[in-house]
Amino acid sequence: MATGSLRSVPFFTSILRKYTNNIIDNPEKPQFQDIAEKFVKFYYEAFDGDRMALASLYKDQSMMTWQDYSTQGVGPIMEKLTTLPFSRVEHSLVMTAGEDWTQAVKAQPSNAEGGILVNVSGRVLVDEERNALNYTQTFQLMPDGQGSYFVFNDIFRLI
């Protein structure tokens, strides 16, 4: 593509149309970022409290990679999440003192179907550990056709 606006590219035109409606009302936070933050808040509250509540976020075509283990489908994903080798977990998205947790959540529109790419970085405490482990987790959220989103891809990695 030579010089010109991204608006001339059909993919970006559809993404811009879908997500820029609320930029006029709130130029500080695009709709996709707001959706990502709400998703992340729910996800980690459920993960830390009742992991079975995460089942509604996945579908049969969902894929998850946890460290070096990959699996696909609601059943296998939930099997992995509910059998992780720790009983207590606490995620923290605040990376630096005084930072708002939303600063650890980055999002972008990801495709013409209205997907959202979400990247999260934070720290996690497990069981009786005193030293938090740094991690990054990336989600590809896709519209479910009923006004909400599901996790199409989920990649978790300790760093």
Side-chain angles (χ1 to χ4, degrees):
M1 179 170 107
T3 61
S5 167
L6 288 178
R7 291 180 188 270
S8 65
V9 180
F11 167 76
F12 286 104
T13 302
S14 66
I15 293 297
L16 287 169
R17 200 175 303 118
K18 178 168 182 64
Y19 291 114
T20 56
N21 290 337
N22 81 326
I23 290 178
I24 294 167
D25 298 329
N26 183 1
E28 303 290 317
K29 187 184 295 186
Q31 182 180 14
F32 59 83
Q33 181 69 34
D34 189 49
I35 292 167
E37 290 171 12
K38 288 175 181 169
F39 164 78
V40 166
K41 183 174 180 359
F42 173 81
Y43 182 89
Y44 290 115
E45 284 177 0
F47 192 102
D48 294 356
D50 175 17
R51 280 182 231 154
M52 286 306 294
L54 297 173
S56 65
L57 298 177
Y58 296 95
K59 294 190 177 276
D60 288 336
Q61 66 265 40
S62 299
M63 185 163 194
M64 179 187 76
T65 300
W66 186 274
Q67 292 289 88
D68 294 326
Y69 175 83
S70 294
T71 192
Q72 184 173 2
V74 180
I77 289 171
M78 292 311 300
E79 175 73 19
K80 178 64 177 174
L81 292 176
T82 57
T83 59
L84 290 169
F86 44 81
S87 57
R88 191 181 72 77
V89 62
E90 182 182 332
H91 288 86
S92 171
L93 301 183
V94 177
M95 297 301 287
T96 0
E99 184 179 68
D100 179 25
W101 71 269
T102 60
Q103 295 300 307
V105 179
K106 304 298 182 206
Q108 295 181 352
S110 61
N111 57 50
E113 288 79 38
I116 303 172
L117 186 65
V118 181
N119 182 264
V120 181
S121 48
R123 296 181 180 146
V124 62
L125 279 170
V126 294
D127 292 330
E128 304 307 317
E129 271 299 314
R130 290 184 160 182
N131 297 319
L133 303 169
N134 293 327
Y135 74 92
T136 184
Q137 191 161 12
T138 302
F139 301 96
Q140 166 83 337
L141 305 179
M142 293 296 292
D144 67 1
Q146 299 168 12
S148 193
Y149 291 83
F150 73 96
V151 177
F152 187 69
N153 300 99
D154 176 355
I155 302 170
F156 177 89
R157 189 86 175 155
L158 292 171
I159 51 176

